[in-house]
Amino acid sequence: MLDAIIFDVDDTIYDQQQPFRNAIQRVFPYVRLKDMHFMYIRFRVHSDENFNKVISGDWSLTYMRNYRICQSLKELNYPEIIDEQALTFQKVYEEELDGIIMHQEVRKTLDFLQEQEITLGIITNGPTDHQHKKIVQLDLLNWVNPEHIIISQASGYEKPDKEIFRLAEQQFQLIPEQTLYVGDNFDNDVVGSKSAGWQALWFNHRQRQLADDMLPIHDVEITSFDELLPAIEQLVQKERLLVEA
């Protein structure tokens, strides 16, 4: 039976590319629109790959944030920027994040799950204050118990480390095989949750391709926000039919 569904935040609960695009246009207006999607993907990759260095103390948060935008521009052959410009981008990006809203299809999905009395939770990578601010801005506390939220910096673990999922099992009182994780990042969200014995829904709305050496280990894949609620409804109904059989 499916008892709990735990969500990622960034680019899962809301469209993270929009505030990124807005900040780029404000600070680096010379960046071509056709480059925005690839630049955003690289920005996320550098963020996901290097935040563990912040947790370990090898990098400061400011250094990591400067690095991810500098590298993203460099990889698309734009002029190198100085630290002051990177800091300005981060400031503007945070201003844009202040206006994020939950995608309406996610809202419908959370309403459905609340009606079904399925346990809801959040596991998100990132700085504690930064991620908590997003959680409040997105009104997630209307659906999620504050005790059912884990932010990587505060926990000492980071996705895809299975220990952050083990921590959630203890803190949220979860049964691994009866828990589904929903997230957009294959490495962090799918590989991480599956390594802990959870079910995984890959929210692949950026339509990323798996590397040749990566196995499609997810249980479900969807490629748009519009597919989220139907996929969740189908999973819940399927589990209930199995229990009744």
Side-chain angles (χ1 to χ4, degrees):
M1 184 174 177
L2 193 59
D3 289 335
I5 299 184
I6 313 302
F7 288 83
D8 173 44
V9 172
D10 293 317
D11 222 27
T12 297
I13 300 295
Y14 71 101
D15 179 358
Q16 191 180 25
Q17 192 169 128
Q18 188 61 55
F20 174 82
R21 184 187 301 116
N22 292 347
I24 288 290
Q25 290 175 331
R26 288 173 60 186
V27 181
F28 308 115
Y30 52 80
V31 172
R32 297 178 294 271
L33 287 176
K34 68 183 183 68
D35 290 336
M36 285 290 187
H37 177 71
F38 181 74
M39 185 176 292
Y40 167 75
I41 296 298
R42 296 307 301 163
F43 181 81
R44 285 290 307 276
V45 167
H46 291 304
S47 184
D48 291 337
E49 287 183 348
N50 294 298
F51 189 70
N52 65 308
K53 295 174 184 175
V54 177
I55 291 180
S56 67
D58 294 327
W59 285 10
S60 69
L61 180 59
T62 297
Y63 182 85
M64 187 280 290
R65 285 171 165 171
N66 286 1
Y67 176 86
R68 66 183 180 180
I69 187 58
C70 289
Q71 287 299 114
S72 300
L73 288 163
K74 182 179 179 181
E75 288 171 6
L76 279 161
N77 298 314
Y78 286 104
E80 290 191 21
I81 62 173
I82 60 175
D83 285 348
E84 184 178 353
Q85 290 171 294
L87 290 169
T88 297
F89 170 79
Q90 181 62 34
K91 178 177 180 294
V92 172
Y93 182 45
E94 290 185 27
E95 290 173 0
E96 292 293 338
L97 287 171
D98 285 343
I100 58 175
I101 59 173
M102 181 182 295
H103 195 285
Q104 62 178 356
E105 295 303 317
V106 176
R107 182 179 296 273
K108 292 176 185 177
T109 302
L110 294 176
D111 283 342
F112 167 74
L113 292 172
Q114 193 173 59
E115 291 170 2
Q116 301 300 311
E117 298 183 342
I118 289 177
T119 297
L120 298 171
I122 294 292
I123 301 175
T124 178
N125 281 355
T128 304
D129 292 345
H130 189 58
Q131 294 305 100
H132 180 72
K133 184 178 179 180
K134 292 178 189 175
I135 288 166
V136 172
Q137 173 68 28
L138 292 164
D139 293 327
L140 277 166
L141 298 179
N142 288 335
W143 293 272
V144 180
N145 184 327
E147 298 299 318
H148 290 177
I149 295 172
I150 291 178
I151 300 173
S152 65
Q153 187 178 47
S155 74
Y157 301 110
E158 181 188 32
K159 296 180 297 181
D161 187 343
K162 69 179 178 182
E163 293 306 318
I164 199 168
F165 297 95
R166 295 284 182 244
L167 180 62
E169 290 167 15
Q170 297 169 11
Q171 188 169 314
F172 308 169
Q173 298 183 329
L174 305 175
I175 300 172
E177 59 272 17
Q178 295 177 12
T179 301
L180 175 74
Y181 192 76
V182 178
D184 71 294
N185 185 297
F186 187 84
D187 293 327
N188 286 349
D189 301 329
V190 175
V191 174
S193 60
K194 293 297 287 185
S195 72
W198 294 20
Q199 299 177 53
L201 186 155
W202 185 22
F203 190 11
N204 188 22
H205 61 107
R206 301 298 176 198
Q207 300 188 29
R208 296 179 174 92
Q209 299 296 314
L210 291 179
D212 292 339
D213 61 344
M214 296 293 290
L215 295 175
I217 59 174
H218 47 281
D219 299 277
V220 180
E221 178 181 354
I222 61 174
T223 57
S224 74
F225 278 94
D226 290 340
E227 296 176 25
L228 180 60
L229 179 56
I232 294 292
E233 288 177 329
Q234 186 174 8
L235 283 170
V236 171
Q237 181 64 21
K238 178 182 176 182
E239 292 288 341
R240 292 195 169 164
L241 288 174
L242 289 173
V243 170
E244 293 170 2

